[in-house]
Amino acid sequence: MDNRNIEQRLAAIEDRMAIKYVVDEFSNLADTKEIDKQVLLFTADGVVVSVSNGQSAAPLKGREQLKQAFSGFLSNFHTVYHQNGQQTIDLQGNKAQATSYCRVILVGKQDGKEVKTTLYTIYKDSFVKENGKWLIKHRTSNFVHREVAEVPVN
């Protein structure tokens, strides 16, 4: 039985919704390549670690490094589309842990051909609430599967 009062339960629901908003807004801003806004969803010293095929890349630290990496990566694609799925959130006061599933579809030219890359991704995020706003402190982006296919031209 939940022994919290209605205000505490409502505050927890609001916090979960705010965290979901951050994850969804990250995806929306990636799709529109608004990287300047996207990096503001992280703390000033935020960290992102990417994992692909079980191998971790060097961590990206701080908004400027995130901006450079995100911009460089997305510049390879003319179409970017994120589709967020299930999410679990563990609230711990002004901190939280979240696991979010996302399918990322990227379309761009490679060797003169249109190519679609689909990434199946699990984000493991640590959040902090600073000045009443939830921000990502640490993200591990685990790219668990990748599909690459040439896009037929009509």
Side-chain angles (χ1 to χ4, degrees):
M1 176 118 197
D2 193 341
N3 293 327
R4 298 175 298 168
N5 66 36
I6 192 73
E7 289 84 12
Q8 292 168 320
R9 291 179 10 227
L10 182 57
I13 291 168
E14 289 174 337
D15 284 336
R16 282 187 174 85
M17 290 181 71
I19 289 168
K20 178 172 178 20
Y21 177 84
V22 170
V23 172
D24 289 347
E25 185 70 356
F26 174 89
S27 294
N28 292 345
L29 293 170
D31 293 350
T32 58
K33 299 185 182 184
E34 294 178 80
I35 308 306
D36 287 338
K37 292 178 183 177
Q38 190 183 40
V39 297
L40 295 177
L41 300 172
F42 290 85
T43 60
D45 62 347
V47 174
V48 173
V49 176
S50 294
V51 178
S52 187
N53 296 322
Q55 301 294 314
S56 294
L60 303 170
K61 297 179 183 176
R63 289 179 177 149
E64 189 57 37
Q65 203 171 42
L66 294 174
K67 179 181 171 181
Q68 290 174 5
F70 294 170
S71 296
F73 178 73
L74 292 178
S75 70
N76 296 307
F77 309 100
H78 58 73
T79 302
V80 180
Y81 183 86
H82 286 68
Q83 188 175 35
N84 291 331
Q86 71 268 29
Q87 180 184 61
T88 56
I89 300 169
D90 178 22
L91 291 174
Q92 305 147 0
N94 285 335
K95 295 182 179 179
Q97 302 296 318
T99 300
S100 307
Y101 285 68
C102 182
R103 180 170 57 178
V104 183
I105 299 167
L106 308 162
V107 182
K109 290 227 182 258
Q110 292 180 18
D111 300 323
K113 299 176 183 175
E114 286 287 303
V115 175
K116 177 178 82 170
T117 302
T118 304
L119 304 172
Y120 297 86
T121 310
I122 302 171
Y123 297 122
K124 296 277 189 178
D125 294 325
S126 296
F127 285 87
V128 294
K129 194 173 191 179
E130 293 182 354
N131 301 315
K133 185 175 179 180
W134 285 100
L135 299 170
I136 303 168
K137 176 82 172 165
H138 187 280
R139 167 170 276 187
T140 299
S141 302
N142 187 0
F143 300 100
V144 295
H145 183 70
R146 173 187 300 256
E147 295 172 358
V148 179
E150 189 175 336
V151 178
V153 178
N154 293 335

